[in-house]
Amino acid sequence: MGGPSTIPEVHDFLSRLFHDHDLIPLPFQSVLAPVIAKRRTPQIEKQYTDIGGGSPILKWTKLQGEEMCKLLDELNPETAPHKPYVAFRYAKPLTEDCLEEMKADGVTRAIAFTQYPQYSCSTTGSSLNELYRLAKKDGYGDKGSIQWSVLDRWPTNEGLVEAFAHNVKTALQQYPEERRKDVVIMFSAHSLPLEIVNRGDPYTAEVAATVHAVMSKLNFSNPYRLTWQSKVGPKAWQGPQTASAIEGFAKIGKKDICLVPIAFTSDHIETLYELDIEVQEEAEKLGIHLTRASSLNDSPIFIRAIADLVSNHLRDFEAGKIGPTGQQLLLRCPGCKNPKCGKTKEWLATGGLGDAVAAQS
């Protein structure tokens, strides 16, 4: 999604977010979105002020990409040099900014590599829809000007799981040894409106797969639960909400909890404000010893993981072992109501050749 790097960027970020029907379906969206964005701006500006004056997500995403590409140049010299480009959905650099930079550099081969490990139509799907829209609109990126392939999900990637498990083990060391095995590991992921979940979106299942893989890596050393955060608006969202789950555990006497942000690859407002300030304050009132596993940020385990993931993808693609997309990306949700999804998936399946394939056939 990205995040505003400075306070003046907050309103535009919120406006883009609330205008995106893929993420937050609203009735009369074009009318309501500006109103909601304007109303929420002062509150969200204060939150970003409280975490240092802006989101660090661009800093971390750039660092991860640059370090990944250094490793890729060693792992895959035949496709070197490799360069990372950042395309955020709601904050600068936007997808159009990314494509402009790629065009200036003369890029003709690219991997659309989602930094959401677990796929949702509302997140990765929305970003891919935007990529398709802009490529069709401007021409660059379409009809073979770029050969695309896609890494659209990686919820149980071995390196990702190892990076999460390492950070959980480190966080658990903050508890006395005699209490450590009883600490509740609470995995927290960004929630989704139930209307998106119920149409067959795979996100909740893939988040659960990541959680199970991490606990397997930890030999199921502790009790654990998966909870959900960042609900917006009055509609029903996937639950239980992280804050209410902590309150529930307090009532049954579970006073040692380790929070693990399991669907984010770096720190941003959902970790630094929502978890570290809001949830932490509530936990203290309830007498809970709440810790949080560090986000992946500059974790060398994580950076090696994404380098290996892209390295294997490049080799398999060049060898003809895989196509531009995986089979799972091509399957639309059984309750899908968005015609954009089908067109985007068809285009990506051709590697961005689109109409050029039809013209040649």
Side-chain angles (χ1 to χ4, degrees):
M1 293 184 185
S5 297
T6 63
I7 301 302
E9 296 175 60
V10 169
H11 176 266
D12 287 350
F13 168 77
L14 291 175
S15 179
R16 295 184 191 103
L17 188 148
F18 284 109
H19 274 92
D20 185 4
H21 194 73
D22 292 339
L23 179 69
I24 303 175
L26 294 171
F28 310 107
Q29 191 126 13
S30 62
V31 176
L32 285 178
V35 175
I36 297 171
K38 184 177 180 180
R39 186 175 297 167
R40 286 181 62 85
T41 292
Q43 174 192 354
I44 304 302
E45 285 180 339
K46 182 183 182 305
Q47 292 179 6
Y48 277 106
T49 300
D50 289 346
I51 65 168
S55 174
I57 192 170
L58 179 58
K59 177 189 79 171
W60 289 125
T61 306
K62 281 185 171 180
L63 182 145
Q64 291 166 348
E66 289 164 1
E67 294 302 311
M68 175 192 73
C69 284
K70 289 177 185 176
L71 290 172
L72 279 175
D73 287 347
E74 298 176 10
L75 294 167
N76 296 62
E78 66 277 9
T79 51
H82 305 88
K83 181 177 178 180
Y85 297 83
V86 178
F88 285 152
R89 187 67 180 87
Y90 311 116
K92 295 281 188 177
L94 297 164
T95 306
E96 53 261 44
D97 303 319
C98 176
L99 287 172
E100 285 178 12
E101 186 182 356
M102 291 170 66
K103 185 176 183 179
D105 287 348
V107 173
T108 58
R109 169 75 177 100
I111 300 170
F113 180 22
T114 182
Q115 294 307 289
Y116 303 102
Q118 305 92 0
Y119 182 92
S120 172
C121 300
S122 64
T123 55
T124 298
S126 176
S127 292
L128 292 175
N129 286 343
E130 181 72 352
L131 175 63
Y132 168 73
R133 183 186 73 82
L134 289 167
K136 284 294 181 184
K137 175 187 173 186
D138 300 328
Y140 178 68
D142 189 26
K143 297 182 179 178
S145 54
I146 296 178
Q147 182 183 45
W148 292 99
S149 59
V150 184
L151 277 166
D152 64 290
R153 71 197 75 204
W154 34 295
T156 56
N157 174 267
E158 185 177 346
L160 175 73
V161 170
E162 173 62 35
F164 276 131
H166 174 82
N167 287 0
V168 173
K169 287 179 184 177
T170 301
L172 288 174
Q173 294 303 309
Q174 299 176 57
Y175 296 90
E177 187 173 357
E178 66 273 13
R179 287 162 39 199
R180 198 170 299 153
K181 67 180 178 59
D182 295 320
V183 175
V184 176
I185 300 176
M186 182 182 289
F187 296 93
S188 185
H190 201 295
S191 189
L192 274 185
L194 280 180
E195 66 180 281
I196 294 177
V197 176
N198 290 340
R199 72 188 181 205
D201 190 284
Y203 173 72
T204 53
E206 293 190 8
V207 173
T210 306
V211 169
H212 191 271
V214 172
M215 289 308 304
S216 181
K217 189 75 175 177
L218 295 170
N219 294 317
F220 297 96
S221 59
N222 291 69
Y224 69 98
R225 282 295 185 274
L226 170 57
T227 62
W228 307 87
Q229 64 179 89
S230 310
K231 177 182 182 294
V232 178
K235 287 190 174 183
W237 285 51
Q238 176 69 48
Q241 290 295 301
T242 299
S244 61
I246 287 176
E247 184 178 349
F249 280 131
K251 290 178 180 177
I252 60 174
K254 292 293 185 181
K255 295 299 183 81
D256 290 329
I257 299 176
C258 177
L259 269 177
V260 184
I262 196 65
F264 307 129
T265 57
S266 65
D267 273 322
H268 53 306
I269 197 166
E270 280 87 352
T271 58
L272 299 175
Y273 187 85
E274 189 173 349
L275 298 183
D276 292 352
I277 296 178
E278 287 187 326
V279 172
Q280 182 63 250
E281 287 177 355
E282 288 303 310
E284 289 175 2
K285 292 175 185 176
L286 295 166
I288 286 178
H289 181 193
L290 182 71
T291 61
R292 178 169 76 83
S294 297
S295 297
L296 300 176
N297 294 343
D298 58 352
S299 160
I301 301 172
F302 174 70
I303 290 168
R304 178 66 196 220
I306 58 176
D308 286 341
L309 182 60
V310 175
S311 173
N312 292 332
H313 176 88
L314 279 167
R315 285 210 176 93
D316 288 347
F317 184 83
E318 296 302 321
K321 295 180 180 179
I322 59 173
T325 68
Q327 286 288 87
Q328 188 72 335
L329 179 63
L330 300 180
L331 181 65
R332 294 176 68 182
C333 296
C336 181
K337 298 177 181 178
N338 187 353
K340 291 185 293 185
C341 287
K343 293 177 181 178
T344 297
K345 291 173 187 290
E346 290 171 5
W347 179 75
L348 290 170
T350 70
L353 289 171
D355 297 338
V357 172
Q360 292 169 9
S361 60

